[in-house]
Amino acid sequence: AQSVAQPEDQVNVAEGNPLTVKCTYSVSGNPYLFWYVQYPNRGLQFLLKYITGDNLVKGSYGFEAEFNKSQTSFHLKKPSALVSDSALYFCAVRDHTNAGKSTFGDGTTLTVKP
Amino acid sequence: GAGVSQSPSNKVTEKGKDVELRCDPISGHTALYWYRQSLGQGLEFLIYFQGNSAPDKSGLPSDRFSAERTGGSVSTLTIQRTQQEDSAVYLCASTYGGISNEQFFGPGTRLTVL
């Protein structure tokens, strides 16, 4: 079975500071990892993904994430947070042996204060 | 091009009534997913269609829930004899190609069972 954990329900940072939203996963095979963002009153949007290759992946809006196989983590990061980054962030995993079924974390609410 | 669309955007029904929720995926997308997002909760996987293969129904919470996908395109999620605990936002997503590809989400249908 595959699973995803986002240990923090809420992350608060000041504008201009770096931000990290944590995600750990568990799969039986090689993972495909995704981050999605949900802005207030809007649908989920894809941010970035790790499939294979370079452990550091870059995505939309200046976000990046680092795949760490030994720690089974895929933390989302941004060097300098913006107030407009305030949203609900979801990590998701797909096991290449599980025919495409995706498992999402419970989400982390990011609040960036001016 | 057009994104994933869902209808209705909002549905209010009385306990015990049946409801049908519709999803129009992006044209050409072979995979279609249904999720449920309850207030303050993450995304709960419901069902997954991939091409002409048998759907993965492992996430359906009870036999009151069913879904079909006609012609490899439009999908309908049906909830029979609705209960108050069925109140949630129902999200549809579609994907093109292989399982390493990201999902494109619709705006959701907010279901309220009185």
Side-chain angles (χ1 to χ4, degrees):
Chain A
Q2 59 192 35
S3 64
V4 174
Q6 293 182 241
E8 301 157 317
D9 291 336
Q10 182 99 25
V11 170
N12 298 311
V13 298
E15 188 173 32
N17 283 0
L19 69 86
T20 299
V21 182
K22 296 179 180 178
C23 171
T24 59
Y25 67 90
S26 174
V27 295
S28 56
N30 292 325
Y32 297 142
L33 294 156
F34 303 80
W35 276 102
Y36 293 85
V37 59
Q38 188 174 34
Y39 296 104
N41 300 315
R42 293 173 64 180
L44 273 81
Q45 299 175 31
F46 167 75
L47 269 182
L48 51 77
K49 66 181 177 183
Y50 170 82
I51 303 302
T52 187
D54 195 348
N55 290 343
L56 183 65
V57 294
K58 295 185 183 295
S60 307
Y61 313 119
F63 283 93
E64 58 189 28
E66 185 167 11
F67 171 65
N68 188 315
K69 186 173 183 178
S70 63
Q71 297 185 4
T72 61
S73 66
F74 189 56
H75 301 332
L76 181 69
K77 300 182 179 184
K78 187 173 182 180
S80 179
L82 300 173
V83 172
S84 57
D85 292 331
S86 298
L88 181 58
Y89 291 81
F90 290 98
C91 181
V93 67
R94 205 181 275 162
D95 180 348
H96 80 288
T97 65
N98 202 10
K101 178 180 174 181
S102 292
T103 300
F104 283 73
D106 288 339
T108 298
T109 299
L110 172 67
T111 301
V112 181
K113 297 184 178 179
Chain B
V4 177
S5 61
Q6 293 185 245
S7 60
S9 55
N10 280 284
K11 177 70 176 180
V12 179
T13 190
E14 294 179 347
K15 178 181 174 181
K17 300 286 189 183
D18 297 351
V19 295
E20 286 189 349
L21 312 180
R22 176 187 169 105
C23 173
D24 281 90
I26 293 173
S27 178
H29 280 198
T30 55
L32 186 148
Y33 302 77
W34 282 99
Y35 297 92
R36 180 168 68 177
Q37 185 177 23
S38 302
L39 187 63
Q41 302 288 324
L43 270 69
E44 176 187 5
F45 167 79
L46 296 177
I47 189 169
Y48 160 60
F49 297 89
Q50 172 61 37
N52 295 321
S53 302
D56 178 347
K57 304 180 181 180
S58 59
L60 295 178
S62 77
D63 59 7
R64 296 186 296 105
F65 288 73
S66 63
E68 62 178 19
R69 188 179 185 192
T70 55
S73 181
V74 172
S75 178
T76 302
L77 177 69
T78 301
I79 308 173
Q80 296 178 310
R81 305 181 302 282
T82 52
Q83 304 294 313
Q84 288 183 333
E85 59 263 30
D86 298 335
S87 297
V89 175
Y90 289 82
L91 295 169
C92 175
S94 67
T95 303
Y96 63 93
I99 64 172
S100 64
N101 293 322
E102 61 272 23
Q103 297 174 58
F104 293 79
F105 282 83
T109 294
R110 182 176 298 278
L111 175 65
T112 303
V113 182
L114 302 176

